[in-house]
Amino acid sequence: MGDSQYSFSLTTFSPSGKLVQIEHALTAVGSGQTSLGIKASNGVVIATEKKLPSILVDETSVQKIQALTPNIGVVYSGMGPDFRVLVRKSRKQAQQYYRLYKEHIPVTQLVRETAAVMQEFTQSGGVRPFGVSLLIAGYDDNGPQLYQVDPSGSYFSWKASAMGKNVSNAKTFLEKRYTEDMELDDAIHTAILTLKEGYEGQISSNNIEIGVIRSDREFRVLSPAEIKDFLEEVE
Amino acid sequence: MSRGTGAGYDRHITIFSPEGRLYQVEYAFKAVKSAGATSIGVRGKDCVCVVTQKKVPCVQDKLLDQTSVTHLFPITKFIGLLATGLTADARSLVYQARNEAAEFRFKWGYEIPVDVLAKWIADKAQVYTQHAYMRPLGVVAMVLGYDEEKNAQLFKCDPAGHFFGHKATSAGLKEQEAINFLEKKMKDDPQFTYDETVQIAISALQSVLQEDFKATEIEVGVVRKEDRVFRALTTEEIDQHLTAISERD
């Protein structure tokens, strides 16, 4: 891809064996808004802060949590524009799978293909790595799943994870609160509490986003009214 | 060519700096400010209005044909684009956007929605932030139009590839002052009428630039529910609004 003049990779090894561009990409992720995900026994929840640059911005025009297929959703920390590119590519890959096999793509396979795209951009000529980490949540025949994909293209399955500005506090909080047999509504409450921990200012149904998938295998983004109900239960 | 640490190159092409920033994108934002103009966009209840300065300070204007200077471009009959920043980059963007809108209409049989076009512009901008062979454009684009389902829409797309819908916004040299002014006016989520929208936009520009304009010195573009088309106001219409503003004060 790109001009022939740039047919060399911009991400190359340093003398100490590190890929510095990827490290910088991770720094970009680390300065992004906090997001997190929790896998419960009967579903997965992903959530993120939605801090907009000004009150003049129409918050209904912004949706940070996106569905990749009817049963897989994704949230990010880092650079919004890069996220949009990955969402578009992933959706296309999912559709290509469906066209070929007439079955919905399993979560692990979509994660693998998305990660492969991100890895490509660390090695191809004339491009930089993506400045986002993704949390992919899905429910398929293997049950509820949560994966985190990093700018390097490496991915892991998580019971609960967090990314972005408040990652260390959030992860500590999640480690304390997570239990293996947690149910989804409990997980949603925990997710809200974790976001609240590191939130600068007052948390409300307009400045966080929550996405949920249950055993019905339908990924949904909660409406502000539903978030409000959960917030009240948490208070 | 050693690129191990990216030393120095992170300022020339869009690769990450050690702090995780993209310097080329940040410099593109500075280029938008360096053009010297400020633009304002306001969304009312059933209309959108954008305003910008016509006379940019650094342009030698004695021999220049003023009527050829414009930052307001119709993309389709129903969608307009106000470009702030480098005019050459703006023309390139407008050309591509017009092409994309026409292809959309041909392919799908209906007019491209405002948010779809805004997203396309923003996605194109993102490509330039990730591929080394093209630099980001030094343009902030305000896209305005009337959507059947979502009513009046105003989007702002920047060199980083961000795009948001706005109730009101600004771009260019005095961007921050204008946003502060507009935040105060839009605090309680007012639903402005057409005349109020246009006058808020013009008076915001007058306030941050601290000068009173003549009708020939500014450009105003509007989209209204009544006729849905994007059009630039004539000098007479601008004059009427300016008079209304000065009588109000």
Side-chain angles (χ1 to χ4, degrees), chain B residues 14 16 23 43 59 77 92 100 106 109 120 122 126 140 150 155 183 210 242 246:
Chain B
T14 57
F16 285 112
Y23 280 115
R43 185 183 80 188
V59 173
K77 229 167 90 173
S92 165
E100 179 64 22
F106 175 74
W120 183 86
Q126 192 281 340
V140 167
K150 298 180 208 148
F155 283 89
E183 276 183 0
Q210 289 175 338
L242 285 169
S246 58

PDB file of all heavy atoms in Angstrom, chain B residues 14 16 23 43 59 77 92 100 106 109 120 122 126 140 150 155 183 210 242 246:
ATOM      1  N   THR B  14       3.888  11.523   9.197  1.00  0.00           N
ATOM      2  CA  THR B  14       2.979  11.201  10.293  1.00  0.00           C
ATOM      3  C   THR B  14       3.304   9.857  10.920  1.00  0.00           C
ATOM      4  O   THR B  14       2.599   8.871  10.726  1.00  0.00           O
ATOM      5  CB  THR B  14       1.524  11.205   9.820  1.00  0.00           C
ATOM      6  OG1 THR B  14       1.420  10.283   8.742  1.00  0.00           O
ATOM      7  CG2 THR B  14       1.114  12.572   9.362  1.00  0.00           C
ATOM      8  N   PHE B  16       4.482   8.279  14.940  1.00  0.00           N
ATOM      9  CA  PHE B  16       4.312   8.699  16.319  1.00  0.00           C
ATOM     10  C   PHE B  16       5.567   9.332  16.890  1.00  0.00           C
ATOM     11  O   PHE B  16       6.676   8.916  16.607  1.00  0.00           O
ATOM     12  CB  PHE B  16       3.943   7.497  17.195  1.00  0.00           C
ATOM     13  CG  PHE B  16       2.530   7.048  17.030  1.00  0.00           C
ATOM     14  CD1 PHE B  16       2.228   5.844  16.443  1.00  0.00           C
ATOM     15  CD2 PHE B  16       1.484   7.842  17.480  1.00  0.00           C
ATOM     16  CE1 PHE B  16       0.921   5.421  16.300  1.00  0.00           C
ATOM     17  CE2 PHE B  16       0.170   7.436  17.339  1.00  0.00           C
ATOM     18  CZ  PHE B  16      -0.098   6.218  16.743  1.00  0.00           C
ATOM     19  N   TYR B  23       2.982  14.840  15.214  1.00  0.00           N
ATOM     20  CA  TYR B  23       3.343  16.245  15.042  1.00  0.00           C
ATOM     21  C   TYR B  23       2.801  16.823  13.746  1.00  0.00           C
ATOM     22  O   TYR B  23       2.338  17.957  13.713  1.00  0.00           O
ATOM     23  CB  TYR B  23       4.868  16.427  15.101  1.00  0.00           C
ATOM     24  CG  TYR B  23       5.394  16.435  16.509  1.00  0.00           C
ATOM     25  CD1 TYR B  23       6.231  15.443  16.973  1.00  0.00           C
ATOM     26  CD2 TYR B  23       5.031  17.452  17.390  1.00  0.00           C
ATOM     27  CE1 TYR B  23       6.703  15.448  18.263  1.00  0.00           C
ATOM     28  CE2 TYR B  23       5.490  17.472  18.685  1.00  0.00           C
ATOM     29  CZ  TYR B  23       6.337  16.465  19.121  1.00  0.00           C
ATOM     30  OH  TYR B  23       6.798  16.483  20.394  1.00  0.00           O
ATOM     31  N   ARG B  43     -26.248  26.147  14.596  1.00  0.00           N
ATOM     32  CA  ARG B  43     -27.412  25.364  14.192  1.00  0.00           C
ATOM     33  C   ARG B  43     -28.612  25.848  14.982  1.00  0.00           C
ATOM     34  O   ARG B  43     -28.575  25.878  16.209  1.00  0.00           O
ATOM     35  CB  ARG B  43     -27.148  23.892  14.490  1.00  0.00           C
ATOM     36  CG  ARG B  43     -28.230  22.947  14.011  1.00  0.00           C
ATOM     37  CD  ARG B  43     -27.931  21.529  14.409  1.00  0.00           C
ATOM     38  NE  ARG B  43     -28.303  21.282  15.799  1.00  0.00           N
ATOM     39  CZ  ARG B  43     -28.010  20.172  16.458  1.00  0.00           C
ATOM     40  NH1 ARG B  43     -27.319  19.234  15.865  1.00  0.00           N
ATOM     41  NH2 ARG B  43     -28.390  20.000  17.690  1.00  0.00           N
ATOM     42  N   VAL B  59      -4.083  39.161   2.261  1.00  0.00           N
ATOM     43  CA  VAL B  59      -4.237  39.139   0.804  1.00  0.00           C
ATOM     44  C   VAL B  59      -4.169  40.550   0.268  1.00  0.00           C
ATOM     45  O   VAL B  59      -4.845  41.439   0.746  1.00  0.00           O
ATOM     46  CB  VAL B  59      -5.593  38.490   0.439  1.00  0.00           C
ATOM     47  CG1 VAL B  59      -5.842  38.609  -1.038  1.00  0.00           C
ATOM     48  CG2 VAL B  59      -5.595  37.030   0.859  1.00  0.00           C
ATOM     49  N   LYS B  77     -26.766  20.328  -4.210  1.00  0.00           N
ATOM     50  CA  LYS B  77     -27.744  21.412  -4.059  1.00  0.00           C
ATOM     51  C   LYS B  77     -28.107  21.593  -2.590  1.00  0.00           C
ATOM     52  O   LYS B  77     -28.492  22.670  -2.162  1.00  0.00           O
ATOM     53  CB  LYS B  77     -29.008  21.044  -4.845  1.00  0.00           C
ATOM     54  CG  LYS B  77     -29.491  22.176  -5.750  1.00  0.00           C
ATOM     55  CD  LYS B  77     -30.520  21.719  -6.739  1.00  0.00           C
ATOM     56  CE  LYS B  77     -31.918  21.872  -6.161  1.00  0.00           C
ATOM     57  NZ  LYS B  77     -32.979  21.601  -7.159  1.00  0.00           N
ATOM     58  N   SER B  92      -9.087  21.204  -3.263  1.00  0.00           N
ATOM     59  CA  SER B  92      -8.896  19.783  -3.524  1.00  0.00           C
ATOM     60  C   SER B  92      -9.941  18.973  -2.784  1.00  0.00           C
ATOM     61  O   SER B  92     -10.555  18.046  -3.325  1.00  0.00           O
ATOM     62  CB  SER B  92      -7.484  19.383  -3.071  1.00  0.00           C
ATOM     63  OG  SER B  92      -7.362  17.998  -2.989  1.00  0.00           O
ATOM     64  N   GLU B 100     -17.606  12.530  -4.684  1.00  0.00           N
ATOM     65  CA  GLU B 100     -18.143  11.470  -3.837  1.00  0.00           C
ATOM     66  C   GLU B 100     -19.651  11.587  -3.713  1.00  0.00           C
ATOM     67  O   GLU B 100     -20.372  10.580  -3.785  1.00  0.00           O
ATOM     68  CB  GLU B 100     -17.492  11.558  -2.451  1.00  0.00           C
ATOM     69  CG  GLU B 100     -17.978  10.537  -1.452  1.00  0.00           C
ATOM     70  CD  GLU B 100     -17.670   9.117  -1.838  1.00  0.00           C
ATOM     71  OE1 GLU B 100     -16.744   8.910  -2.648  1.00  0.00           O
ATOM     72  OE2 GLU B 100     -18.370   8.213  -1.358  1.00  0.00           O
ATOM     73  N   PHE B 106     -25.662   8.663  -7.707  1.00  0.00           N
ATOM     74  CA  PHE B 106     -25.803   7.785  -8.865  1.00  0.00           C
ATOM     75  C   PHE B 106     -25.956   6.338  -8.426  1.00  0.00           C
ATOM     76  O   PHE B 106     -26.814   5.602  -8.901  1.00  0.00           O
ATOM     77  CB  PHE B 106     -24.567   7.940  -9.769  1.00  0.00           C
ATOM     78  CG  PHE B 106     -24.563   6.999 -10.930  1.00  0.00           C
ATOM     79  CD1 PHE B 106     -25.406   7.207 -12.012  1.00  0.00           C
ATOM     80  CD2 PHE B 106     -23.726   5.898 -10.955  1.00  0.00           C
ATOM     81  CE1 PHE B 106     -25.409   6.344 -13.088  1.00  0.00           C
ATOM     82  CE2 PHE B 106     -23.710   5.037 -12.030  1.00  0.00           C
ATOM     83  CZ  PHE B 106     -24.558   5.255 -13.104  1.00  0.00           C
ATOM     84  N   GLY B 109     -29.219   6.161  -5.585  1.00  0.00           N
ATOM     85  CA  GLY B 109     -30.500   6.710  -5.995  1.00  0.00           C
ATOM     86  C   GLY B 109     -31.086   7.755  -5.067  1.00  0.00           C
ATOM     87  O   GLY B 109     -32.217   8.186  -5.261  1.00  0.00           O
ATOM     88  N   TRP B 120     -17.165  10.646   5.454  1.00  0.00           N
ATOM     89  CA  TRP B 120     -16.262  10.349   4.340  1.00  0.00           C
ATOM     90  C   TRP B 120     -15.080  11.310   4.325  1.00  0.00           C
ATOM     91  O   TRP B 120     -13.932  10.912   4.136  1.00  0.00           O
ATOM     92  CB  TRP B 120     -17.046  10.424   3.030  1.00  0.00           C
ATOM     93  CG  TRP B 120     -16.225  10.072   1.853  1.00  0.00           C
ATOM     94  CD1 TRP B 120     -15.979   8.835   1.352  1.00  0.00           C
ATOM     95  CD2 TRP B 120     -15.496  10.981   1.031  1.00  0.00           C
ATOM     96  NE1 TRP B 120     -15.149   8.910   0.267  1.00  0.00           N
ATOM     97  CE2 TRP B 120     -14.839  10.214   0.047  1.00  0.00           C
ATOM     98  CE3 TRP B 120     -15.345  12.366   1.024  1.00  0.00           C
ATOM     99  CZ2 TRP B 120     -14.029  10.793  -0.930  1.00  0.00           C
ATOM    100  CZ3 TRP B 120     -14.538  12.939   0.056  1.00  0.00           C
ATOM    101  CH2 TRP B 120     -13.892  12.150  -0.904  1.00  0.00           C
ATOM    102  N   ALA B 122     -13.913  12.952   6.888  1.00  0.00           N
ATOM    103  CA  ALA B 122     -13.074  12.684   8.048  1.00  0.00           C
ATOM    104  C   ALA B 122     -12.238  11.426   7.838  1.00  0.00           C
ATOM    105  O   ALA B 122     -11.070  11.367   8.237  1.00  0.00           O
ATOM    106  CB  ALA B 122     -13.943  12.547   9.299  1.00  0.00           C
ATOM    107  N   GLN B 126      -8.200  10.913   7.888  1.00  0.00           N
ATOM    108  CA  GLN B 126      -7.498   9.927   8.716  1.00  0.00           C
ATOM    109  C   GLN B 126      -6.432   9.199   7.896  1.00  0.00           C
ATOM    110  O   GLN B 126      -5.328   8.933   8.391  1.00  0.00           O
ATOM    111  CB  GLN B 126      -8.504   8.920   9.274  1.00  0.00           C
ATOM    112  CG  GLN B 126      -7.952   8.025  10.362  1.00  0.00           C
ATOM    113  CD  GLN B 126      -7.116   6.876   9.834  1.00  0.00           C
ATOM    114  OE1 GLN B 126      -7.220   6.496   8.666  1.00  0.00           O
ATOM    115  NE2 GLN B 126      -6.277   6.312  10.684  1.00  0.00           N
ATOM    116  N   VAL B 140     -10.000  22.913   7.918  1.00  0.00           N
ATOM    117  CA  VAL B 140     -11.094  22.441   8.762  1.00  0.00           C
ATOM    118  C   VAL B 140     -12.362  22.676   7.959  1.00  0.00           C
ATOM    119  O   VAL B 140     -12.608  23.796   7.483  1.00  0.00           O
ATOM    120  CB  VAL B 140     -11.152  23.208  10.094  1.00  0.00           C
ATOM    121  CG1 VAL B 140     -12.451  22.935  10.810  1.00  0.00           C
ATOM    122  CG2 VAL B 140      -9.978  22.827  10.961  1.00  0.00           C
ATOM    123  N   LYS B 150     -33.089  13.799  10.789  1.00  0.00           N
ATOM    124  CA  LYS B 150     -32.458  14.426  11.955  1.00  0.00           C
ATOM    125  C   LYS B 150     -32.480  15.942  11.877  1.00  0.00           C
ATOM    126  O   LYS B 150     -31.815  16.597  12.659  1.00  0.00           O
ATOM    127  CB  LYS B 150     -31.016  13.940  12.080  1.00  0.00           C
ATOM    128  CG  LYS B 150     -30.939  12.448  12.292  1.00  0.00           C
ATOM    129  CD  LYS B 150     -29.502  11.975  12.404  1.00  0.00           C
ATOM    130  CE  LYS B 150     -29.366  10.552  11.952  1.00  0.00           C
ATOM    131  NZ  LYS B 150     -28.073  10.273  11.350  1.00  0.00           N
ATOM    132  N   PHE B 155     -21.720  19.723  10.830  1.00  0.00           N
ATOM    133  CA  PHE B 155     -20.600  18.870  11.202  1.00  0.00           C
ATOM    134  C   PHE B 155     -19.301  19.620  10.982  1.00  0.00           C
ATOM    135  O   PHE B 155     -19.195  20.439  10.073  1.00  0.00           O
ATOM    136  CB  PHE B 155     -20.574  17.586  10.362  1.00  0.00           C
ATOM    137  CG  PHE B 155     -21.587  16.575  10.800  1.00  0.00           C
ATOM    138  CD1 PHE B 155     -22.857  16.582  10.270  1.00  0.00           C
ATOM    139  CD2 PHE B 155     -21.274  15.630  11.746  1.00  0.00           C
ATOM    140  CE1 PHE B 155     -23.811  15.666  10.673  1.00  0.00           C
ATOM    141  CE2 PHE B 155     -22.215  14.696  12.167  1.00  0.00           C
ATOM    142  CZ  PHE B 155     -23.486  14.721  11.624  1.00  0.00           C
ATOM    143  N   GLU B 183     -20.483  29.221  23.602  1.00  0.00           N
ATOM    144  CA  GLU B 183     -20.890  28.360  24.718  1.00  0.00           C
ATOM    145  C   GLU B 183     -21.841  29.103  25.644  1.00  0.00           C
ATOM    146  O   GLU B 183     -22.814  28.539  26.156  1.00  0.00           O
ATOM    147  CB  GLU B 183     -19.661  27.870  25.491  1.00  0.00           C
ATOM    148  CG  GLU B 183     -19.029  26.646  24.880  1.00  0.00           C
ATOM    149  CD  GLU B 183     -17.856  26.121  25.677  1.00  0.00           C
ATOM    150  OE1 GLU B 183     -17.517  26.710  26.714  1.00  0.00           O
ATOM    151  OE2 GLU B 183     -17.292  25.100  25.251  1.00  0.00           O
ATOM    152  N   GLN B 210     -13.689  41.857  16.998  1.00  0.00           N
ATOM    153  CA  GLN B 210     -13.814  43.219  17.505  1.00  0.00           C
ATOM    154  C   GLN B 210     -13.839  44.238  16.390  1.00  0.00           C
ATOM    155  O   GLN B 210     -13.115  45.218  16.398  1.00  0.00           O
ATOM    156  CB  GLN B 210     -12.671  43.518  18.482  1.00  0.00           C
ATOM    157  CG  GLN B 210     -12.891  42.724  19.766  1.00  0.00           C
ATOM    158  CD  GLN B 210     -11.767  42.855  20.730  1.00  0.00           C
ATOM    159  OE1 GLN B 210     -10.649  43.195  20.348  1.00  0.00           O
ATOM    160  NE2 GLN B 210     -12.057  42.595  21.983  1.00  0.00           N
ATOM    161  N   LEU B 242     -27.232  42.661   9.303  1.00  0.00           N
ATOM    162  CA  LEU B 242     -26.305  43.554  10.011  1.00  0.00           C
ATOM    163  C   LEU B 242     -27.063  44.730  10.634  1.00  0.00           C
ATOM    164  O   LEU B 242     -26.791  45.128  11.758  1.00  0.00           O
ATOM    165  CB  LEU B 242     -25.227  44.069   9.050  1.00  0.00           C
ATOM    166  CG  LEU B 242     -24.152  43.051   8.683  1.00  0.00           C
ATOM    167  CD1 LEU B 242     -23.301  43.555   7.524  1.00  0.00           C
ATOM    168  CD2 LEU B 242     -23.246  42.795   9.884  1.00  0.00           C
ATOM    169  N   SER B 246     -27.337  45.798  14.603  1.00  0.00           N
ATOM    170  CA  SER B 246     -26.933  47.085  15.181  1.00  0.00           C
ATOM    171  C   SER B 246     -28.112  47.789  15.830  1.00  0.00           C
ATOM    172  O   SER B 246     -27.944  48.503  16.820  1.00  0.00           O
ATOM    173  CB  SER B 246     -26.276  47.960  14.118  1.00  0.00           C
ATOM    174  OG  SER B 246     -27.166  48.155  13.052  1.00  0.00           O
TER     175      SER B 246
END
